[in-house]
Amino acid sequence: MGLPALEFSDCCLDSPHFRETLKSHEAELDKTNKFIKELIKDGKSLISALKNLSSAKRKFADSLNEFKFQCIGDAETDDEMCIARSLQEFATVLRNLEDERSRMIENASEVLITPLEKFRKEQIGAAREAKKKYDKETEKYCGILEKHLNLSSKKKEAQLQEADSQVDLVRQHFYEVSLEYVFKVQEVQERKMFEFVEPLLAFLQGLFTFYHHGYELAKDFGDFKTQLTISIQNTRNRFEGTRSEVESLMKKMKENPLEHKTISPYTMEGYLYVQEKRHFGTSWVKHYCTYQRDSKQITMVPFDQKSGGKGGEDESITLKSCTRRKTDSIEKRFCFDVEAVDRPGVITMQALSEEDRRLWMEAMDGREPVYNSNKDSQNEGTAQLDSIGFSIIRKCIHAVETRGINEQGLYRIVGVNSRVQKLLSVLMDPKAASETDTDICAEWEIKTVTSALKTYLRMLPGPLMMYQFQRSFIKAAKLENQETRVSEIHSLVHRLPEKNRQMLQLLMNHLANVANNHKQNLMTVANLGVVFGPTLLRPQEETVAAIMDIKFQNIVIEILIENHEKIFNTVPDVPLTNAQLHLSRKKSSDSKPPSCSERPLTLFHAVPSTEKQEQRNSIINSSLESVSSSANSIPNSSSSLQPNMNSSDPNLDVVKPTRPNSLPPNPSPTSPLSPSWPMFSAPSSPMPTSSTSSDSSPARPEEAVREDSSTPFRKAKALYACKAEHDSELSFTAGTVFDNVHPSQEPGWLEGTLNGKTGLIPENYVEFL
């Protein structure tokens, strides 16, 4: 069981459970920090003490073997399990290298020590600074709140209002600091999964190169090394996508926290001060209280955030009545009296504000409880799973398969918003929909057609694979055994309504055909899963935990694509018994490495720094595009949509258009045929991506597409780097801004100005500002 997710909504309540969860994350960060410091120390000893190399390597191996990763969530993907297992694999390799007694280590400090120190200082250090600020603000807020609550009600109204305003400001500042701290802790916990392991991979590669007898050992380690490299890149890609979503959710929580509160099982909960009689008088003790209207149960937990622990035993009482306390009857403000069935006397409680008292009173006096409405954030359009809907999807699929099946970045590259909406309005016209033989004319670009298909799926009243089955599909993707995963998803698909299953089948047949042409369109099964996962399996409630499950949504879509013939054309088997399931898992553990459906395969290759950033930007954009969606599923397609289960992974490079009389382009630095493919390399840090180059996030159902780029003499921004092959072309890096950009006479090229020089720019390398 991994660490529980830190929800931003809990920052507002600041409950004991939230504090305990935060403590577990802080303890994990401290553990990681101590381990990194020890690892750095061991690494330096390994470099300097050549004579004691054997003992230093064994100690280093032992340290790696003892550390265990803790992932966020209740399950791990195959990539995360691969990364978690990597330290034990490294330890085994180092023990084998001990027998070789080699003496040469070069560049170890640069590839191992520096990145670890940078991660510890910049990431864990930043989290520690944020914790100091959070603790300081906690103490300040609680102190001011207690001082404020102790103000006499006989003070002048102006003084009381001024005091209320001051407390509100301090409370808001404390809430913002709390959100920022939780965000930073979440970020560091995710970053360590790849920034921590990558230096170790690079260090091991150096050892393989310089050990005299290490060549054979490096060959034996090659398979796991490739698998781990892929897992790290996939984990990094998922991190980049989920990080932007979590940051977006945090910003929305800052702007309007009340609209994003977690739905609570209690009618009311929060902090109250309870008056307790002591032998020396009375005192007010802070409690975290919950109230359940159905059972009329009030639970009081003595808890003080400043001390960070409980101040006594929990107490539960059954509510009999609740009465507002008159201001002139007690010196404290915001008070009310509670009578209990199972406790004699009156319990006087003090709320944190007048509004807080009103909410408690409404909850306890039999009025309607206050709940946050859980409305679907998606707009319900006019899209339906009717004859018009099936006709639209079939026309889009037919246009893609006949005109653009080999177009690079299919479904990942988005169309112009105005064009997409115009095409949808044409297709959704009942007159046009009734003309089933009419195809989408060639004037519509393929990227416009694919964007229209995805947008229509998002316009459905609910996701194609339905809210009620969303958690079941996620649980199926988390199963350890691949055969069991497929079987469970097979069964769930046949529980969908008939129209949903037909639409899903139509779509999966088509996507299998797209993946079959991945060498031309660069869209593998894994990439299609990234694009369509959140579209077809969006969650009903937007939380950090839901964002963390996006990677499992992608795996579900991969399994559907790879096994579409079995899933849609055969009846599900009877569920396995416990004994059969155990035997199946045992057989699976002895079988060959996992296939693409068990783990998204986006090949990572070592490339020069700038080109790696370009490639990563392209991959991250596709992740962000898919994160925006949610949708529905698809009917039987024509017999021409034959799947191909091949799931090898091409590169996601953006291809520069070919100009007349130009020289042949150099081979892609990330191509398997390139002679520059090294045996191993640690990738550089990810570059931030522009939100305008991807689909929208789950909180925004509309697809984020570029504005019409036909207007002459506009500014444009480079999405990727490009090296000029002719004097008439411009060389630039990702993020470069061009002036006076307008269409060129050569197809696929634009003309723009950079630093006073005018030249040609590939059209698919830029976006207009």
Side-chain angles (χ1 to χ4, degrees):
M1 187 69 180
L3 294 173
L6 287 169
E7 296 293 349
F8 290 128
S9 58
D10 290 339
C11 294
C12 183
L13 289 175
D14 198 15
S15 65
H17 174 70
F18 168 73
R19 288 281 177 164
E20 292 299 325
T21 302
L22 191 58
K23 272 188 176 182
S24 65
H25 281 263
E26 291 171 350
E28 176 63 18
L29 286 181
D30 289 338
K31 178 182 175 183
T32 302
N33 182 52
K34 291 178 182 178
F35 176 73
I36 291 177
K37 291 173 66 176
E38 184 67 22
L39 197 61
I40 291 173
K41 178 182 176 182
D42 294 342
K44 289 181 178 179
S45 298
L46 187 62
I47 296 170
S48 61
L50 294 177
K51 293 181 180 180
N52 299 319
L53 183 59
S54 176
S55 60
K57 283 195 301 180
R58 194 166 293 279
K59 182 181 179 182
F60 187 70
D62 292 341
S63 298
L64 292 176
N65 192 53
E66 291 172 1
F67 184 77
K68 300 293 187 298
F69 277 114
Q70 290 291 333
C71 299
I72 297 176
D74 58 355
E76 297 177 345
T77 64
D78 295 315
D79 291 324
E80 290 168 340
M81 287 188 286
C82 177
I83 292 175
R85 194 175 76 250
S86 63
L87 298 186
Q88 285 69 43
E89 294 290 337
F90 298 156
T92 301
V93 170
L94 289 175
R95 291 193 186 100
N96 291 333
L97 286 174
E98 160 63 15
D99 299 332
E100 303 301 330
R101 300 279 185 184
S102 207
R103 299 178 299 172
M104 187 78 71
I105 298 178
E106 293 183 1
N107 299 325
S109 178
E110 180 181 353
V111 300
L112 176 66
I113 306 300
T114 303
L116 292 179
E117 287 180 337
K118 182 178 179 182
F119 175 76
R120 188 175 68 86
K121 292 178 181 179
E122 295 182 0
Q123 300 301 326
I124 298 181
R128 285 187 165 187
E129 290 298 323
K131 181 183 184 324
K132 292 179 181 178
K133 184 177 179 182
Y134 176 71
D135 292 340
K136 182 177 179 181
E137 289 299 324
T138 299
E139 184 174 359
K140 178 181 177 182
Y141 168 65
C142 293
I144 290 179
L145 182 61
E146 291 178 359
K147 181 179 178 181
H148 175 67
L149 294 175
N150 287 325
L151 286 176
S152 174
S153 60
K154 297 179 181 180
K155 295 277 188 180
K156 293 182 179 180
E157 184 64 25
Q159 292 177 327
L160 293 178
Q161 290 180 357
E162 181 179 356
D164 290 345
S165 300
Q166 182 182 4
V167 170
D168 289 340
L169 289 175
V170 174
R171 182 185 294 112
Q172 178 63 25
H173 183 62
F174 168 72
Y175 180 55
E176 292 178 357
V177 171
S178 178
L179 285 173
E180 292 171 355
Y181 179 47
V182 168
F183 174 73
K184 187 60 183 178
V185 170
Q186 181 90 14
E187 180 184 17
V188 175
Q189 292 283 29
E190 287 292 301
R191 278 183 176 274
K192 72 177 183 181
M193 293 296 293
F194 52 87
E195 291 193 0
F196 181 35
V197 177
E198 285 177 335
L200 297 172
L201 279 170
F203 171 69
L204 286 177
Q205 179 58 32
L207 290 179
F208 293 150
T209 304
F210 294 102
Y211 276 95
H212 179 66
H213 299 286
Y215 176 72
E216 290 298 327
L217 183 60
K219 285 176 58 179
D220 296 338
F221 186 75
D223 290 341
F224 178 77
K225 182 184 67 177
T226 302
Q227 180 185 357
L228 180 59
T229 305
I230 295 169
S231 298
I232 290 175
Q233 182 63 19
N234 290 338
T235 304
R236 179 192 293 277
N237 295 340
R238 286 192 291 267
F239 164 76
E240 290 298 336
T242 56
R243 181 183 182 278
S244 64
E245 299 306 321
V246 173
E247 187 174 10
S248 174
L249 179 58
M250 182 192 72
K251 291 179 180 178
K252 288 189 288 185
M253 292 292 295
K254 283 185 177 181
E255 294 170 359
N256 199 340
L258 295 180
E259 288 187 1
H260 295 85
K261 281 187 178 180
T262 302
I263 297 178
S264 172
Y266 302 107
T267 308
M268 186 66 187
E269 62 179 321
Y271 282 100
L272 293 173
Y273 284 82
V274 180
Q275 188 182 45
E276 296 183 357
K277 294 182 179 181
R278 306 288 173 86
H279 65 277
F280 53 83
T282 61
S283 64
W284 293 85
V285 181
K286 195 173 187 180
H287 289 70
Y288 189 82
C289 302
T290 60
Y291 175 67
Q292 180 58 260
R293 181 173 178 271
D294 295 338
S295 61
K296 292 187 176 295
Q297 287 291 314
I298 302 176
T299 303
M300 300 182 292
V301 181
F303 189 86
D304 190 347
Q305 297 107 312
K306 291 189 295 184
S307 61
K310 290 184 179 180
E313 297 297 326
D314 301 357
E315 182 179 3
S316 294
I317 59 175
T318 303
L319 177 68
K320 180 179 180 181
S321 65
C322 176
T323 307
R324 186 184 302 276
R325 190 69 177 262
K326 293 183 179 180
T327 305
D328 55 3
S329 66
I330 190 170
E331 290 188 357
K332 297 284 187 178
R333 306 170 65 202
F334 320 132
C335 294
F336 56 94
D337 293 334
V338 171
E339 289 186 83
V341 175
D342 46 2
R343 173 173 166 174
V346 176
I347 305 172
T348 301
M349 298 181 173
Q350 182 185 25
L352 303 183
S353 64
E354 184 62 40
E355 175 66 14
D356 193 36
R357 176 170 69 171
R358 182 186 69 79
L359 294 174
W360 279 104
M361 295 291 296
E362 288 182 357
M364 291 184 178
D365 66 2
R367 298 178 184 177
E368 289 295 324
V370 179
Y371 288 110
N372 285 327
S373 60
N374 182 29
K375 296 180 180 179
D376 190 347
S377 61
Q378 303 292 336
N379 294 331
E380 293 192 6
T382 58
Q384 297 293 333
L385 291 179
D386 52 12
S387 58
I388 295 178
F390 278 93
S391 174
I392 292 172
I393 298 301
R394 285 195 178 99
K395 288 179 180 179
C396 291
I397 290 176
H398 182 264
V400 172
E401 299 220 347
T402 55
R403 294 196 285 119
I405 194 69
N406 293 327
E407 192 163 308
Q408 292 186 354
L410 194 63
Y411 286 107
R412 180 174 58 83
I413 298 176
V414 298
V416 179
N417 188 33
S418 58
R419 298 274 295 168
V420 173
Q421 296 302 325
K422 185 176 180 181
L423 175 58
L424 279 175
S425 64
V426 171
L427 293 175
M428 295 176 70
D429 185 349
K431 295 181 180 179
S434 62
E435 300 175 1
T436 56
D437 296 334
T438 304
D439 295 332
I440 298 176
C441 59
E443 70 177 85
W444 300 101
E445 295 178 292
I446 291 300
K447 64 181 180 181
T448 303
V449 176
T450 56
S451 295
L453 183 148
K454 291 184 292 182
T455 302
Y456 188 85
L457 292 176
R458 296 183 191 120
M459 291 168 59
L460 291 167
L464 191 57
M465 298 173 75
M466 305 186 69
Y467 288 130
Q468 66 191 82
F469 295 110
Q470 196 261 353
R471 292 307 308 164
S472 299
F473 278 110
I474 295 299
K475 288 180 181 179
K478 292 179 179 180
L479 295 174
E480 295 179 3
N481 179 263
Q482 170 66 5
E483 182 179 342
T484 310
R485 289 184 200 173
V486 176
S487 176
E488 185 66 21
I489 291 175
H490 188 184
S491 176
L492 289 170
V493 167
H494 282 263
R495 292 170 59 189
L496 293 172
E498 182 66 23
K499 288 187 177 180
N500 293 58
R501 187 169 69 253
Q502 289 176 355
M503 183 68 82
L504 185 62
Q505 180 178 3
L506 177 60
L507 183 60
M508 291 303 112
N509 288 341
H510 168 59
L511 295 183
N513 198 20
V514 172
N516 187 34
N517 293 272
H518 67 271
K519 292 184 179 180
Q520 292 77 32
N521 57 38
L522 306 183
M523 294 303 291
T524 63
V525 172
N527 294 332
L528 291 171
V530 168
V531 173
F532 281 92
T535 300
L536 304 180
L537 271 175
R538 75 171 181 263
Q540 193 164 11
E541 184 180 1
E542 183 183 0
T543 64
V544 175
I547 295 174
M548 292 297 109
D549 278 341
I550 288 176
K551 53 195 174 186
F552 295 106
Q553 297 173 4
N554 304 343
I555 292 176
V556 172
I557 304 305
E558 292 178 36
I559 291 175
L560 288 174
I561 296 174
E562 290 186 328
N563 301 274
H564 69 283
E565 288 189 334
K566 173 184 177 182
I567 290 174
F568 293 103
N569 298 329
T570 62
V571 178
D573 297 330
V574 178
L576 296 175
T577 64
N578 289 338
Q580 290 172 326
L581 185 59
H582 177 74
L583 179 60
S584 174
R585 287 179 176 174
K586 184 176 185 305
K587 288 181 179 180
S588 175
S589 64
D590 299 332
S591 63
K592 60 183 181 181
S595 68
C596 181
S597 60
E598 296 176 76
R599 168 184 39 72
L601 290 177
T602 302
L603 273 180
F604 164 72
H605 307 303
V607 295
S609 176
T610 302
E611 294 170 344
K612 285 190 291 185
Q613 291 167 352
E614 297 166 20
Q615 183 181 10
R616 189 172 297 117
N617 279 345
S618 176
I619 300 173
I620 291 171
N621 285 340
S622 68
S623 299
L624 290 177
E625 172 185 348
S626 72
V627 168
S628 73
S629 327
S630 47
N632 302 322
S633 318
I634 296 185
N636 292 327
S637 65
S638 62
S639 60
S640 63
L641 303 179
Q642 294 298 328
N644 186 305
M645 308 308 288
N646 186 356
S647 60
S648 62
D649 295 45
N651 307 301
L652 296 181
D653 296 337
V654 175
V655 178
K656 188 165 66 175
T658 304
R659 296 179 51 220
N661 302 322
S662 64
L663 296 174
N666 293 327
S668 169
T670 59
S671 171
L673 300 178
S674 173
S676 62
W677 176 318
M679 191 171 181
F680 193 149
S681 178
S684 61
S685 300
M687 289 184 63
T689 60
S690 170
S691 62
T692 60
S693 62
S694 65
D695 279 11
S696 62
S697 67
R700 290 174 17 200
E702 297 82 17
E703 186 175 40
V705 295
R706 294 186 289 112
E707 295 297 328
D708 193 340
S709 60
S710 61
T711 305
F713 301 105
R714 300 173 60 185
K715 285 183 176 291
K717 179 181 177 182
L719 297 174
Y720 318 96
C722 178
K723 183 177 180 181
E725 298 177 352
H726 297 277
D727 294 338
S728 59
E729 300 176 12
L730 294 177
S731 295
F732 52 86
T733 59
T736 302
V737 177
F738 305 94
D739 296 320
N740 302 326
V741 179
H742 56 278
S744 168
Q745 294 181 354
E746 296 191 27
W749 292 80
L750 301 173
E751 190 170 302
T753 303
L754 176 62
N755 297 328
K757 180 182 177 181
T758 300
L760 295 176
I761 310 165
E763 184 177 17
N764 56 350
Y765 273 54
V766 299
E767 65 175 357
F768 284 89
L769 302 178

